[in-house]
């Protein structure tokens, strides 16, 4: 099993990401995330792997990757469409610096899911980014 990690460009919080994805799913199913580069290790990813989303500087949620298919951008350039489970699973927040595209993420390096019965920290999205980063570095969030 192998995971991917990718920046969620645009949404300022997980609720905005969820709203965007819900809109896409209702108008153009199945739910997909597009990327220019095709993961060469897709068999390992669809064998239980997820895509971990970096939202506003923190890894915050993950989604199971169900498959991959070739699609094309509006200009006809080929791209990879990652087929996603619509369920966003909260993970323990971890700061992440910006990067381009996506990266492979080994299971032992992935943030843990928020434990059942323990709510994800509420209101973190309203904290200033610098304060969130400082609290995460101190392992307080």
């Amino acid at each position: 099993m192998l995971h991917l990690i990718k920046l969620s460009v645009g949404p300022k919080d997980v609720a905005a990401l969820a709203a965007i994805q819900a809109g896409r799913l209702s108008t153009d199913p199945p739910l997909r995330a597009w990327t220019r580069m095709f993961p060469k290790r897709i068999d390992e990813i669809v064998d239980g792997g997820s895509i971990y989303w970096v939202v506003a500087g923190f890894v915050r949620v993950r989604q199971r990757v169900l498959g991959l298919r070739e699609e094309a951008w509006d200009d006809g350039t080929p791209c990879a469409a990652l087929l996603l489970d619509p369920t966003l699973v909260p993970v323990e927040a971890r700061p992440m610096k910006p990067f381009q595209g996506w990266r492979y993420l080994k299971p032992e390096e992935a943030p843990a899911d928020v434990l059942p019965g323990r709510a994800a920290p509420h209101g973190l999205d309203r904290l200033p980014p610098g304060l969130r980063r400082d609290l995460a570095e101190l392992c307080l969030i």
Side-chain angles (χ1 to χ4, degrees):
M1 176 178 48
L2 188 63
H3 304 296
L4 295 174
I5 187 166
K6 184 169 175 37
L7 296 180
S8 173
V9 179
K12 301 292 184 210
D13 56 34
V14 174
L17 174 63
I20 289 168
Q21 289 190 352
R24 286 181 184 164
L25 183 60
S26 68
T27 59
D28 188 20
L31 183 59
R32 302 177 308 282
W34 297 271
T35 183
R36 186 173 61 90
M37 301 301 294
F38 287 75
K40 291 179 177 38
R41 300 173 67 184
I42 192 65
D43 291 338
E44 293 173 79
I45 296 166
V46 298
D47 186 26
S50 294
I51 186 167
Y52 284 75
W53 291 107
V54 178
V55 180
F58 287 84
V59 181
R60 299 292 305 278
V61 292
R62 70 175 179 86
Q63 289 176 285
R64 286 279 320 272
V65 177
L66 305 175
L68 174 87
R69 69 182 189 198
E70 186 173 335
E71 292 192 5
W73 301 112
D74 290 339
D75 66 0
T77 305
C79 65
L82 300 166
L83 306 176
L84 304 176
D85 181 321
T87 304
L88 290 170
V89 179
V91 299
E92 293 178 358
R94 179 185 297 171
M96 179 66 64
K97 292 181 181 181
F99 58 92
Q100 290 185 346
W102 51 263
R103 303 284 184 269
Y104 290 117
L105 181 64
K106 296 176 186 173
E108 62 270 15
E109 296 172 353
D113 291 353
V114 171
L115 300 174
R118 181 179 153 223
H122 182 70
L124 288 180
D125 296 328
R126 290 181 289 226
L127 293 176
L131 178 58
R132 283 196 315 251
R133 197 170 19 263
D134 291 345
L135 291 172
E137 287 175 7
L138 294 169
C139 300
L140 296 173
I141 58 172

